Amino acid sequence: MTNEVTEGKTAARELAARLPGWMVWYGEHTRRYWATPRSKAAARGVLAEADTPEELVDVVRHMTDGTPLPERAPEPQGVREIQGSETMRPFPGHTEPRHSREPVGARTARD
């Protein structure tokens, strides 16, 4: 893993040189490449993310000048983007936490 992190950080430094005006880094835990504009005005919540350095360059170009994203292989089975009207469902076997305390309004006076 250390070698992968070192290679990711090296690739991120090279990307930063290719993408002036963007701050680029490699996430050690996510194992993904990230970029955000250096300018506060341009940043405004903009965050680019990709699996590979090449994909990050494509995403940044798309965000800056509208260059169409190249066709990629379909996402793996079971991975998809959640639509706005969908609600997330708990994973199988998940149960809601049980609270041992009653709400304040439910208490009764004790004699």
Side-chain angles (χ1 to χ4, degrees), residues 6-19 23-27 32-34 53 56:
T6 303
E7 290 172 5
K9 288 181 176 184
T10 301
R13 281 192 296 276
E14 292 170 3
L15 278 175
R18 290 175 53 194
L19 300 171
M23 182 171 39
V24 179
W25 68 95
Y26 177 76
R32 296 179 62 82
Y33 294 88
W34 301 82
L56 187 65

Side-chain angles (χ1 to χ4, degrees), residues 55-70:
E55 287 178 11
L56 187 65
V57 169
D58 293 339
V59 170
V60 167
R61 286 188 179 144
H62 174 72
M63 293 170 77
T64 55
D65 62 13
T67 303
L69 292 171

